[in-house]
Amino acid sequence: MSKEQVEKKVNRSPIETGCPDAFQYMHPLMRKNYGQWAYHEDPRPGVLKHVAHSGDAIWTIKAGTQRILDVITLNLLCDIGDKYADGYVRFTIRSNIEYMVDQESKVGPLIVELEKNGFVVGGTKNSVAMIAHTQGWLHCDIPGTDAAGVVKAMMDEVIDEFKGWNMPNRVHMTTSCCQINCGGQGDIAINVQYTKPPKINHDLVSNVCERPSVVARCPVAAIRPAMVNGKPSLEVDEKKCICCGACYPPCPPMQINDAEHTKLSVWVGGNHSNARGKPTFQKLVAAGIPNNPPRWPEATAIVKKILRAYRDDAKDWERISDWVERIGWPRFFELTGLPFTKFHINNWKGARNSLNASTHIRF
Amino acid sequence: MADKHITPMLDELENGPWPSFISGIKRLRDQHSDSRVSGVANSLLGQLEHSYETRKGYWKGGTVSVFGYGSGIIPRFSEVGDAFPESREFHTLRVQPPAGNFYTTDMLRQLGKSWEKHGSGLQTFHGQTGNIMFIGASTENTQHFFDEINEYGWDLGGAGPCVRTGMCCVGAARCEQANIDGIKIHRTLLNNFTDDIHRPALPYKFKFKVSGCPNDCVNSIERADFAIIGTWKDDMKVNQDEVKDFVEKKGRKYLIDNVITRCPTNCLSLKDDDTLEVDNRNCVKCMHCLNVMPKALSPGDDKGATILMGGKRTLKVGDLMGTVIVPFMKLDTEEDYEKLTELAEETIDFWAENGLEHERCGEMIERIGLVNFLDGIGLEVDPNMVADPTTSSYVRMDGWDDEAEKWFKDKLQSVEA
Ligand code: SF4
Ligand code: SF4
């Protein structure tokens, strides 16, 4: 190879195509009836039937997977798609796989094959959906826990709620493995909650951290530059520190994770939809839950308690946020048996908006 | 492959009925024909078991990119690489999916093949931002994998302070509630900012998300700096025969308890002949009644989008919802699309100039106030932007007459138009 060729090979310029065209990967019936759908029905859990104005119908079969897919499993999902469906799939934002077929007769055999291979058909309508999750110990650089493991352990326990229609309305759950909460809002969210200020590895700070930007990152101005052992480092006012971990990503020596003091917390009532009420953020209901691998039984027990209370007490179509709004927080804590503590009272900016400024009290 | 790592804790995650990612990684270790892939899987399992035992993560970031780009790779170097050398470098490539996440099985296989050739053979459809996550490649192979898939039509997404990969719902492809062409909107916007995706130069991340209707299936109000949500302006469509059918099947009480009394603005009533009456002027398009009765009720014909800006999660001032910035805009013609793209450009430009380092667009709006933000992007105030007018009298109000006059003039203009 000439020198020029070598250089060309090393420095291949990217083709900046960006987001690819979706229509080339879309089931022909979806292409044909694009924007022309009339209504849908729910023939059974995990299956949707959409009917277009043209009279065409398409069936969607939704299945939960392990989300972190190995290529052998991915090929298996493709084999099933080729043999029992029409070779077209899509993924939902909660990482379920959806197969689309043009005939009702294909639905049954596809479900049998998916279930035979260990996939779980469900997740539609008023079910507990697949838990959205982040990367955790498997792959994140700042995780307090393992998201994929928490989710696997929990889905094992709520699988019947995924497969059935037993809930008043759909339940979206999310997990996050640090307090940045990449997992987003959920009807129920299981998130990491740190309980101790970062332990600073002073030997490393001056090498790896841009000190002013770490200082600026702290939401409560608890960090200041300091000389420690004759070297430029940082110090934290531990009384001020809210143990949020915001300083940790830009400065890994601010070690916030701790085998014992990193805990889990549970939040409820996040709802992204505008249906009935406006979208809502999730609220803290339980904390101090041990971060207990490999199966996190304490966190799952609390989630199941909440699901049970919601299932038994909410009305049809009420999301968890709607339900709590109707019954009030005191009753929520009563029905779930969870303790109400001083930590539930908001202390952040705009906190007084979340206090009860009325005589509306249910006795 | 080195000796198989013993993983008693991870083995516990092979129990139970839900599909196990641990079993999947073990399949790569035990069944994959390429010894590099099985070695990486073994090493990864070893490190993960170590995390489970010690309750700590062992990855650190760094700088890795492909030639010509400054983003799209999430670098991961192991802090315990001596014990688990085969997965010492374990970078993720974020690849942009087609809008709506559609694939043929052929394309999935092809991607899988390229990935097992160069990477770990582990992937996720999709990460929280919306990228395909190809998890685990060495620094060198990151480039090889990208080169290969880039040749057949795939490009990297964003990472760091840049425009991020977008997200849209299934929308018009398969949903009767879709009011806009989400796939086109997603692709038009994202591909207008390709440079800002690949070369991070903004204060922080910027996310576009598109939902076909106010059910907002992609959580855009809560998570996107720029949310485009389909809606309609005219009367919803009522198929009275289907309403009657619904009453017959489910009963009058069910309809009253689950539809009529649940409307947030009390604009539904069931008449004595079992037909439905809708006060469309007060309907806020919340979608509830359409969700319960999809056969009987459908969106109207005068469709378009509401744009909200400034949603984000916790870091650093706490969670913020998006705010209505454009109550309604049509998205039919190419000019409409140009207007949308221009608005996005204005917004990103203004924020790039005025946002502080690591400040999301919504945090900037919070800091400078909505009025200054609107000024900056050249939009007028609108009562749809607020839940309530101010409750504080501590506001300077000189210039009231001019503002009032402007309001009446604008109103007159829009009536004439
Ligand atoms: S943990 Fe949060 S509050 Fe504490 S020092 Fe770090 S950034 Fe500040
Ligand atoms: S869409 Fe919502 S606001 Fe409009 S009529 Fe139906 S329930 Fe009422």
Side-chain angles (χ1 to χ4, degrees):
Chain A
M1 262 193 272
S2 74
K3 204 176 154 222
E4 211 184 5
Q5 270 172 322
V6 172
E7 227 150 68
K8 208 167 152 209
K9 198 161 173 255
V10 174
N11 291 345
R12 174 191 170 278
S13 285
I15 314 167
E16 301 203 36
T17 41
C19 173
D21 171 25
F23 291 93
Q24 60 185 321
Y25 304 124
M26 211 184 268
H27 194 289
L29 273 184
M30 294 167 106
R31 247 179 331 216
K32 179 180 161 210
N33 296 290
Y34 191 79
Q36 296 300 324
W37 296 97
Y39 65 89
H40 82 275
E41 287 172 348
D42 298 271
R44 53 173 283 186
V47 181
L48 305 165
K49 177 191 178 187
H50 284 87
V51 179
H53 291 296
S54 68
D56 288 345
I58 195 165
W59 285 261
T60 302
I61 295 84
K62 186 188 283 206
T65 71
Q66 55 271 59
R67 186 174 182 269
I68 312 278
L69 293 173
D70 55 284
V71 70
I72 299 171
T73 301
L74 180 67
N75 286 335
L76 174 63
L77 288 165
C78 290
D79 289 344
I80 295 173
D82 289 345
K83 210 158 154 210
Y84 294 91
D86 302 343
Y88 295 90
V89 300
R90 69 175 291 271
F91 293 90
T92 68
I93 69 157
R94 313 186 81 77
S95 299
N96 298 301
I97 191 166
E98 288 184 341
Y99 294 90
M100 274 71 58
V101 296
D102 58 6
Q103 281 165 36
E104 192 171 5
S105 60
K106 294 178 182 171
V107 173
L110 174 59
I111 292 176
V112 170
E113 189 64 17
L114 283 166
E115 289 181 341
K116 201 175 87 194
N117 285 285
F119 303 109
V120 193
V121 175
T124 60
K125 234 180 134 190
N126 48 331
S127 62
V128 172
M130 167 64 174
I131 306 174
H133 73 80
T134 50
Q135 306 180 70
W137 288 328
L138 184 77
H139 199 245
C140 184
D141 59 337
I142 53 171
T145 189
D146 188 40
V150 176
V151 169
K152 155 69 181 156
M154 265 183 205
M155 287 312 292
D156 278 342
E157 303 263 330
V158 297
I159 190 166
D160 291 336
E161 283 67 37
F162 179 87
K163 290 203 285 200
W165 287 337
N166 312 324
M167 290 289 146
N169 199 343
R170 67 196 64 213
V171 182
H172 286 169
M173 292 206 274
T174 71
T175 62
S176 291
C177 48
C178 76
Q179 278 185 227
I180 296 173
N181 292 335
C182 313
Q185 296 286 327
D187 294 283
I188 304 179
I190 303 98
N191 295 346
V192 153
Q193 190 77 24
Y194 311 112
T195 62
K196 289 274 185 277
K199 285 197 202 99
I200 310 175
N201 184 338
H202 293 288
D203 294 338
L204 294 179
V205 171
S206 57
N207 295 335
V208 264
C209 309
E210 219 184 286
R211 291 189 305 154
S213 61
V214 184
V215 169
R217 191 69 64 91
C218 179
V220 292
I223 308 175
R224 28 173 205 263
M227 294 295 281
V228 181
N229 304 328
K231 272 199 212 155
S233 186
L234 297 164
E235 69 185 11
V236 170
D237 180 339
E238 299 210 345
K239 280 228 179 70
K240 255 183 164 182
C241 175
I242 50 170
C243 311
C244 67
C247 52
Y248 178 51
C251 183
M254 307 282 282
Q255 183 57 252
I256 189 81
N257 285 311
D258 179 280
E260 177 153 355
H261 298 301
T262 296
K263 303 279 189 194
L264 299 184
S265 55
V266 174
W267 305 64
V268 309
N271 180 6
H272 59 83
S273 173
N274 291 268
R276 300 169 305 283
K278 294 178 180 179
T280 49
F281 286 136
Q282 60 212 16
K283 290 102 187 157
L284 175 76
V285 294
I289 306 162
N291 181 20
N292 194 5
R295 293 199 66 99
W296 294 270
E298 299 85 354
T300 306
I302 290 176
V303 167
K304 285 176 80 173
K305 249 189 219 173
I306 296 168
L307 283 174
R308 218 174 299 130
Y310 166 63
R311 186 197 61 200
D312 293 346
D313 196 60
K315 296 182 176 172
D316 282 358
W317 294 98
E318 275 180 341
R319 292 280 286 261
I320 289 187
S321 53
D322 301 319
W323 168 57
V324 178
E325 196 184 309
R326 179 171 59 80
I327 66 168
W329 286 104
R331 183 100 352 110
F332 173 88
F333 285 98
E334 182 191 314
L335 289 174
T336 53
L338 295 168
F340 182 81
T341 69
K342 66 178 184 181
F343 300 109
H344 289 98
I345 295 177
N346 193 354
N347 221 0
W348 194 240
K349 280 176 207 140
R352 290 206 68 205
N353 293 329
S354 69
L355 306 183
N356 186 3
S358 74
T359 58
H360 289 203
I361 293 175
R362 297 167 182 79
F363 294 105
Chain B
M1 185 172 79
D3 285 351
K4 278 188 200 174
H5 291 290
I6 301 168
T7 55
M9 289 187 93
L10 299 183
D11 296 351
E12 293 288 321
L13 288 173
E14 292 195 274
N15 301 329
W18 193 262
S20 167
F21 68 108
I22 295 298
S23 304
I25 304 175
K26 284 192 182 174
R27 266 194 290 280
L28 290 179
R29 182 191 67 186
D30 300 335
Q31 293 170 27
H32 202 278
S33 52
D34 184 341
S35 60
R36 184 191 58 80
V37 172
S38 48
V40 169
N42 183 40
S43 178
L44 177 69
L45 285 167
Q47 176 168 332
L48 191 58
E49 177 76 13
H50 183 53
S51 278
Y52 271 60
E53 279 163 5
T54 56
R55 302 185 185 184
K56 283 220 175 157
Y58 294 97
W59 299 107
K60 58 177 192 282
T63 327
V64 176
S65 58
V66 297
F67 178 74
Y69 285 178
S71 93
I73 314 285
I74 312 294
R76 291 291 178 257
F77 296 93
S78 175
E79 288 172 345
V80 286
D82 291 343
F84 311 104
E86 290 100 329
S87 54
R88 185 189 292 276
E89 293 173 1
F90 203 69
H91 316 312
T92 286
L93 289 101
R94 288 185 175 172
V95 172
Q96 283 198 59
N101 302 336
F102 298 95
Y103 302 90
T104 55
T105 47
D106 288 345
M107 183 41 76
L108 285 181
R109 274 182 219 284
Q110 192 177 351
L111 286 167
K113 214 177 216 146
S114 298
W115 182 235
E116 64 189 335
K117 185 159 132 205
H118 300 292
S120 70
L122 283 178
Q123 58 260 295
T124 288
F125 295 90
H126 303 82
Q128 289 294 328
T129 301
N131 296 284
I132 316 173
M133 309 286 277
F134 290 98
I135 308 167
S138 66
T139 308
E140 193 193 333
N141 280 353
T142 301
Q143 181 75 50
H144 296 324
F145 175 68
F146 171 67
D147 286 344
E148 188 166 320
I149 66 166
N150 189 224
E151 286 295 330
Y152 59 86
W154 299 87
D155 198 0
L156 295 186
C162 64
V163 172
R164 296 292 186 85
T165 295
M167 209 186 250
C168 77
C169 64
V170 66
R174 202 198 56 206
C175 180
E176 69 271 18
Q177 316 286 31
N179 292 282
I180 43 175
D181 184 347
I183 287 175
K184 179 167 177 187
I185 297 166
H186 173 148
R187 193 159 183 243
T188 306
L189 283 173
L190 267 289
N191 287 353
N192 185 65
F193 291 102
T194 311
D195 193 43
D196 289 300
I197 293 175
H198 294 142
R199 293 165 197 90
L202 297 173
Y204 196 21
K205 58 181 110 168
F206 194 92
K207 297 186 178 183
F208 291 103
K209 293 191 196 288
V210 193
S211 280
C213 82
N215 280 321
D216 194 8
C217 289
V218 300
N219 303 9
S220 65
I221 296 182
E222 286 168 345
R223 305 192 70 168
D225 301 275
F226 196 107
I228 304 107
I229 301 179
T231 185
W232 69 97
K233 262 183 134 170
D234 55 343
D235 295 357
M236 76 164 75
K237 294 185 182 161
V238 185
N239 181 333
Q240 299 291 5
D241 291 338
E242 289 293 345
V243 174
K244 282 185 190 155
D245 194 54
F246 189 93
V247 174
E248 216 157 90
K249 282 195 183 123
K250 295 281 218 175
R252 212 168 275 137
K253 178 173 161 56
Y254 184 91
L255 183 82
I256 292 169
D257 286 353
N258 288 285
V259 183
I260 309 291
T261 57
R262 298 286 181 87
C263 171
T265 46
N266 290 323
C267 46
L268 295 173
S269 68
L270 186 67
K271 299 213 288 192
D272 290 340
D273 60 355
D274 285 341
T275 58
L276 196 69
E277 196 172 54
V278 186
D279 170 9
N280 278 286
R281 271 180 70 79
N282 284 310
C283 165
V284 288
K285 281 76 185 168
C286 86
M287 296 306 293
H288 172 70
C289 61
L290 291 90
N291 292 340
V292 183
M293 308 170 74
K295 262 179 148 173
L297 306 177
S298 330
D301 289 318
D302 191 4
K303 297 172 174 184
T306 300
I307 315 267
L308 295 94
M309 293 189 201
K312 56 167 280 294
R313 284 248 46 195
T314 316
L315 194 70
K316 146 181 167 178
V317 305
D319 296 28
L320 299 174
M321 299 264 184
T323 300
V324 171
I325 300 294
V326 180
F328 186 83
M329 76 183 285
K330 295 295 278 180
L331 282 168
D332 295 333
T333 64
E334 289 311 311
E335 287 96 81
D336 295 339
Y337 276 80
E338 259 162 48
K339 259 193 223 155
L340 178 69
T341 318
E342 271 164 28
L343 176 65
E345 282 170 356
E346 290 280 344
T347 303
I348 291 180
D349 286 351
F350 179 77
W351 167 65
E353 228 161 81
N354 296 281
L356 305 175
E357 193 199 320
H358 218 263
E359 184 178 58
R360 290 284 286 270
C361 186
E363 289 168 309
M364 177 192 71
I365 298 174
E366 181 112 339
R367 179 170 53 82
I368 67 173
L370 180 67
V371 172
N372 284 329
F373 175 66
L374 292 172
D375 234 21
I377 61 171
L379 290 180
E380 296 298 333
V381 299
D382 186 297
N384 286 303
M385 295 171 180
V386 300
D388 295 299
T390 184
T391 53
S392 167
S393 65
Y394 287 0
V395 191
R396 258 189 84 154
M397 299 198 201
D398 43 352
W400 173 275
D401 289 346
D402 296 342
E403 292 298 320
E405 200 180 314
K406 197 159 82 189
W407 166 258
F408 288 120
K409 233 169 66 204
D410 287 352
K411 249 180 105 173
L412 205 68
Q413 256 171 15
S414 65
V415 170
E416 279 167 1

